[in-house]
Amino acid sequence: MDAAPTERNLTFFRFEDLRIYHKALEYMAWVHKNSLMFPDSNQDNIGIRFNESARAIALNIAEGSARNKSQFIYYLKMAKSSVRESLVLTSSLKKFGYLTDKQENESRNYLMELTKMIGALISSLQRGPTGVRESDDGDDDMDLPPNRFDHDNY
């Protein structure tokens, strides 16, 4: 039986339907491309750490999506922690001369958008059936809560 033409075809893996996951992949690719020019001799392997923190954003989104709601929220918060780590690394890499002003701004813009999207998804998941937040996590990043959970918005 074919799906109705107006019905969306969802993928088998829930996270692949999330815009936030695809934005995280986009950032991961951006970090990889921009870190190719970093010197190999860097003793603290900051380029490797930068790539790992960018990958962790997408990996936490994917891992959490297979869990129950409270665990998904936990993994989304871990993704937010990876966003913060990526921001620290962005600032450090700029200070060390490995990123240009333009690259630093591009990275920051990705990270700000990811933070907002993750915060909105967390807020959406924390809402009860009446639209009232079930709990307050005390996270002070900008959370932009939507009216309801909608895969197209995250």
Side-chain angles (χ1 to χ4, degrees), residues 2-83:
D2 291 328
T6 58
E7 214 176 287
R8 278 190 340 176
N9 291 325
L10 299 177
T11 61
F12 181 77
F13 296 102
R14 177 175 139 184
F15 64 90
E16 290 183 313
D17 296 323
L18 298 172
R19 281 185 40 234
I20 182 67
Y21 169 72
H22 292 281
K23 180 57 76 174
L25 287 181
E26 194 178 305
Y27 181 65
M28 188 170 60
W30 183 92
V31 167
H32 175 74
K33 177 183 165 222
N34 285 279
S35 65
L36 290 174
M37 303 309 262
F38 294 172
D40 290 334
S41 63
N42 194 342
Q43 291 179 355
D44 59 4
N45 294 315
I46 196 166
I48 292 169
R49 185 75 183 260
F50 194 34
N51 277 278
E52 288 171 349
S53 68
R55 278 193 300 270
I57 299 167
L59 291 170
N60 279 305
I61 293 166
E63 177 69 22
S65 72
R67 309 292 179 132
N68 67 40
K69 185 166 71 168
S70 64
Q71 290 173 329
F72 191 17
I73 291 168
Y74 169 81
Y75 278 93
L76 289 170
K77 289 177 181 180
M78 295 301 293
K80 263 185 148 180
S81 292
S82 296
V83 167

Side-chain angles (χ1 to χ4, degrees), residues 85-142:
E85 180 180 356
S86 294
L87 181 60
V88 170
L89 291 164
T90 295
S91 298
S92 299
L93 288 161
K94 170 63 173 95
K95 192 166 204 66
F96 299 153
Y98 298 146
L99 292 178
T100 65
D101 288 340
K102 181 182 179 213
Q103 289 170 316
E104 179 189 30
N105 287 332
E106 287 174 355
S107 183
R108 285 179 165 278
N109 287 336
Y110 270 115
L111 296 170
M112 284 189 291
E113 186 172 3
L114 285 164
T115 295
K116 290 175 185 178
M117 292 174 80
I118 294 169
L121 181 51
I122 289 170
S123 292
S124 175
L125 291 168
Q126 288 176 330
R127 292 192 188 290
T130 61
V132 176
R133 275 184 92 141
E134 294 175 1
S135 67
D136 187 357
D137 65 1
D139 196 338
D140 61 358
D141 282 337
M142 293 182 60

